Amino acid sequence: MTFLMRFFALVVNALCLPLHLMERVGLYQIYKRVFPFCLYRISVTYNKKMYDKKKELFRSLSEFKKPGGQLTLLEIGCGTGANFEFYPPGCKVICTDPNPHFHKYLKRCMDDNSHLNYERFLVASGEDMGSVEDDSVDAVVCTLVLCSVNSITQTLREAHRILRPGGAFFFLEHVMADPSSWAYFFQHVLQPIWYYFGDGCEVTRETWKHLEAAGFSELKMRHIEAPFIFMIKPHIVGHAVK
């Protein structure tokens, strides 16, 4: 199975040669302008199917605000703001995303979720949020983002840095399937083309291992099967406390 997987992955990789060349010469940047629209449409469907899971995940957000204070939350890779409806009223939100073209859709979502207080939108990657002070937020949220960052380890290090002691990192991510499954086989075979479709998304990441090694004082994590196609069916969900 390993030989076949590698062989077909090479075939798919070869078929993606035009896409590789487009990325090399900078033409792939055009897709980055279109991707926010695609993600906006996808997020509507994702939220419908994962509504209960998201509601359960974010239910405990308010527990992490400072006594008598306002919950301050930073979202890494906020995209179109698909998580905003799940945040508690009065929450102060700092939005970050490396793609500035999301701002149009983000503004629309802000208008639809007036129960929140929006502090600012930062064009920044998860690996480099230097403009955010140490120990300055109560919660960091990261959903469907760790699949596409350049470094999971550095992103988690940054999240840990900006969280105040006792603050929490909330996550919901699709991950690599069980190695004995056909899903695992096709994840590796189709990864080359999926990378371009998903704007750098990698479905073969063992993200849970990075969370376990990130140095949080407490980690609550579950592996679940989401109601989607096999490529993104395996998910992890939970939160980690600094």
Side-chain angles (χ1 to χ4, degrees), residues 170-217:
F170 286 77
F171 58 89
L172 174 64
E173 300 284 341
H174 66 78
V175 294
M176 188 175 72
D178 187 291
S180 64
S181 68
W182 280 107
Y184 175 89
F185 176 88
F186 283 108
Q187 280 180 333
H188 285 77
V189 168
L190 298 176
Q191 174 55 51
I193 195 168
W194 189 272
Y195 171 87
Y196 292 105
F197 168 77
D199 193 22
C201 174
E202 295 185 15
V203 293
T204 56
R205 293 188 173 183
E206 299 173 299
T207 306
W208 65 90
K209 293 183 178 181
H210 294 272
L211 283 161
E212 291 169 348
F216 289 98
S217 64

Side-chain angles (χ1 to χ4, degrees), residues 119-153:
E119 182 172 290
R120 51 181 165 154
F121 172 65
L122 302 173
V123 179
S125 67
E127 296 93 338
D128 184 10
M129 297 183 288
S131 61
V132 183
E133 296 180 0
D134 296 1
D135 306 328
S136 60
V137 301
D138 301 307
V140 173
V141 171
C142 189
T143 64
L144 305 181
V145 169
L146 296 179
C147 59
S148 59
V149 296
N150 292 325
S151 171
I152 298 177
T153 299

Side-chain angles (χ1 to χ4, degrees), residues 39 74-83 95-99 102 121-122 124-126 129 141-145 149:
L39 188 62
L74 180 142
E75 182 168 351
I76 300 174
C78 59
T80 60
N83 292 324
C95 308
T96 73
D97 202 287
N99 188 340
F102 273 115
F121 172 65
L122 302 173
S125 67
M129 297 183 288
V141 171
C142 189
T143 64
L144 305 181
V145 169
V149 296

